[in-house]
């Protein structure tokens, strides 16, 4: 396929209080070799100098970027609302999301686009990512396996990917590339949730619409201000994970459903411990059953791949 025949990719950047990192993020998008891109940035009511940094960056780089650049700065509405607005503004039939404190690595869009073009039945492709500190120094070369203890072999396997998305949610950062059509099938982001990516992936995984390419395509930055690093958000995150998992129970059967139930029980136990409210004994049987379910999954991985991770 020639460059003129390639589809347009809309690169979508939700921005919030990342004046120190947004220029690096945008530079990485310009540097990506995929030839047909548009760039859309929405500043979700940042209270620092993020908007000014983007405006200055746009003045310096407008001529370097052959595609359309859209920048919107408005009052704060939250991440899911911002993601939905970005989808609505996108002209491309393919959507790549990049958080404003993260950045792309070489050929990130091209590698993932090659996968989607070769797999017309998939609506979303994921890839691996580095984990870096606030200065860009690499902390983990594989965010999936080293940071979140996931298994790339399972994500790359057609039969196991849905199990892995349920059992070990290990995909974070700017590694989601969608066909825009996906959001017509499953709807857009739930603006009441703060685990929006897992919710979307569960919807697509239940329909066998998610793929994975084993390529390190981005850098996910840890800098202390990430939502996942804020202790006051832990309780809300657990509550949202439970709500998300419960709403998807009827979408899965067999071992997948059992894994999701085990996830719910573990999150409830973690919430009890966080609140210091006791009552752990009521989950004693649930913990035993969860261990059995996880053992069954490890046996399935062993039977499918030939070895246990």
């Amino acid at each position: 396929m020639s460059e003129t025949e390639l589809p347009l990719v809309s690169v979508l950047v939700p921005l919030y209080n990342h004046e120190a990192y947004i220029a690096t993020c945008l530079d990485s998008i310009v540097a990506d070799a995929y030839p047909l891109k548009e760039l859309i940035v929405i500043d979700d009511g940042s209270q620092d100098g993020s908007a000014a940094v983007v405006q200055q960056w746009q003045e310096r780089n407008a001529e370097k970027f052959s595609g359309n650049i859209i920048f919107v700065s408005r009052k704060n509405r939250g991440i899911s609302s911002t993601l939905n607005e970005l989808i609505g503004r996108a002209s491309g039939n393919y959507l790549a999301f990049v958080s404003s404190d993260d950045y792309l690595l070489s050929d990130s869009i091209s590698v993932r686009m090659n996968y989607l073009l070769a797999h017309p039945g998939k609506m979303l492709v994921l890839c691996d990512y580095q984990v870096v500190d606030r200065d860009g120094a690499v902390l983990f070369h594989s965010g999936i396996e080293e940071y979140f203890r996931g298994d790339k072999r399972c994500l790359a396997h057609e039969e196991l990917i849905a199990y892995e998305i349920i059992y070990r949610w290990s995909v974070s950062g700017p590694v989601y590339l969608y066909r825009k059509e996906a959001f017509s099938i499953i709807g857009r982001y739930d603006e009441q949730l703060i685990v929006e990516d897992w919710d979307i992936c569960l919807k697509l995984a239940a329909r066998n619409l998610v793929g994975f390419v084993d390529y390190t395509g981005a850098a996910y930055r840890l800098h202390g201000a990430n939502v996942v690093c804020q202790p006051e958000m832990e309780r809300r995150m657990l509550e949202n994970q439970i709500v998300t998992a419960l709403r998807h129970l009827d979408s899965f059967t067999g071992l997948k459903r059992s894994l999701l139930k085990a996830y719910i029980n573990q999150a409830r136990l973690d919430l009890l411990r966080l609140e210091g409210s006791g009552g752990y004994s009521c989950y004693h049987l649930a913990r035993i059953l969860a261990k059995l379910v996880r053992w069954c999954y490890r046996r399935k991985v062993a039977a499918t791949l030939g070895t246990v991770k």
Side-chain angles (χ1 to χ4, degrees):
M1 184 179 292
S2 68
E3 288 191 4
T4 57
E5 296 174 317
L6 289 171
L8 175 67
V9 175
S10 297
V11 186
L12 309 178
V13 181
L15 167 63
Y16 182 71
N17 285 350
H18 286 151
E19 63 178 342
Y21 309 119
I22 182 60
T24 298
C25 171
L26 299 178
D27 285 343
S28 76
I29 295 167
V30 172
D32 186 276
Y34 189 83
L36 291 177
K37 307 186 295 284
E38 71 170 357
L39 173 58
I40 306 176
V41 182
I42 295 181
D43 173 36
D44 185 32
S46 292
Q47 298 174 344
D48 62 2
S50 292
V53 171
V54 175
Q55 291 168 345
Q56 293 165 9
W57 180 92
Q58 188 171 359
E59 292 173 1
R60 296 194 308 269
N61 291 275
E63 295 182 357
K64 300 178 185 178
F65 189 77
S66 59
N68 190 32
I69 300 177
I70 299 172
F71 175 55
V72 176
S73 185
R74 54 154 173 75
K75 293 182 179 180
N76 181 266
R77 298 178 191 168
I79 180 61
S80 293
S81 177
T82 302
L83 294 173
N84 285 335
E85 184 177 345
L86 285 163
I87 293 168
R89 289 179 176 272
S91 299
N93 288 325
Y94 294 82
L95 312 178
F97 290 92
V98 187
S99 297
S100 53
D101 51 344
D102 303 329
Y103 55 92
L104 300 179
L105 300 178
S106 177
D107 293 327
S108 177
I109 293 176
S110 295
V111 170
R112 288 177 289 158
M113 279 298 295
N114 286 341
Y115 178 92
L116 285 182
L117 293 174
H119 298 81
K122 301 298 183 183
M123 291 290 145
L124 164 65
V125 61
L126 309 169
C127 68
D128 201 359
Y129 53 95
Q130 296 176 348
V131 179
V132 302
D133 66 12
R134 66 181 64 209
D135 299 316
V138 177
L139 301 174
F140 301 96
H141 292 282
S142 171
I144 289 174
E145 294 198 329
E146 297 175 21
Y147 185 56
F148 283 111
R149 305 298 182 186
D151 192 335
K152 291 194 291 184
R153 302 169 309 159
C154 297
L155 289 171
H157 196 283
E158 181 72 10
E159 183 181 347
L160 296 177
I161 183 171
Y163 292 92
E164 188 69 10
I165 287 172
I166 294 169
Y167 175 58
R168 284 183 291 229
W169 180 237
S170 59
V171 184
S172 188
V175 297
Y176 300 85
L177 200 156
Y178 296 87
R179 297 182 197 273
K180 193 175 185 180
E181 179 187 353
F183 296 99
S184 297
I185 296 172
I186 63 169
R188 296 189 183 181
Y189 288 91
D190 185 334
E191 298 185 8
Q192 304 304 311
L193 294 177
I194 57 174
V195 288
E196 69 284 341
D197 288 335
W198 192 42
D199 179 57
I200 290 289
C201 278
L202 285 171
K203 289 179 182 179
L204 293 172
R207 296 167 171 83
N208 193 33
L209 297 177
V210 186
F212 175 80
V213 56
D214 189 0
Y215 182 81
T216 305
Y220 172 64
R221 195 188 300 271
L222 292 179
H223 47 75
N226 310 72
V227 169
V228 296
C229 296
Q230 298 174 19
E232 69 273 14
M233 292 295 292
E234 186 176 358
R235 182 176 184 276
R236 189 178 170 203
M237 288 285 289
L238 286 168
E239 291 173 342
N240 269 250
Q241 288 166 1
I242 293 168
V243 169
T244 301
L246 283 170
R247 70 167 51 172
H248 289 290
L249 268 180
D250 291 338
S251 299
F252 298 97
T253 59
L255 182 56
K256 294 174 188 174
R257 181 182 173 89
S258 296
L259 284 167
L260 203 52
K261 285 183 177 179
Y263 189 99
I264 292 167
N265 286 329
Q266 183 61 57
R268 284 173 170 164
L269 181 59
D270 291 341
L271 192 57
L272 283 173
R273 287 173 174 161
L274 184 67
E275 294 173 343
S277 56
Y280 308 150
S281 59
C282 66
Y283 287 104
H284 181 65
L285 178 59
R287 289 198 298 270
I288 295 173
L289 292 175
K291 288 181 180 179
L292 177 60
V293 169
R294 290 164 184 153
W295 180 86
C296 290
Y297 177 57
R298 289 195 295 271
R299 291 296 96 199
K300 181 174 182 61
V301 171
T304 306
L305 300 178
T307 184
V308 180
K309 174 98 174 158

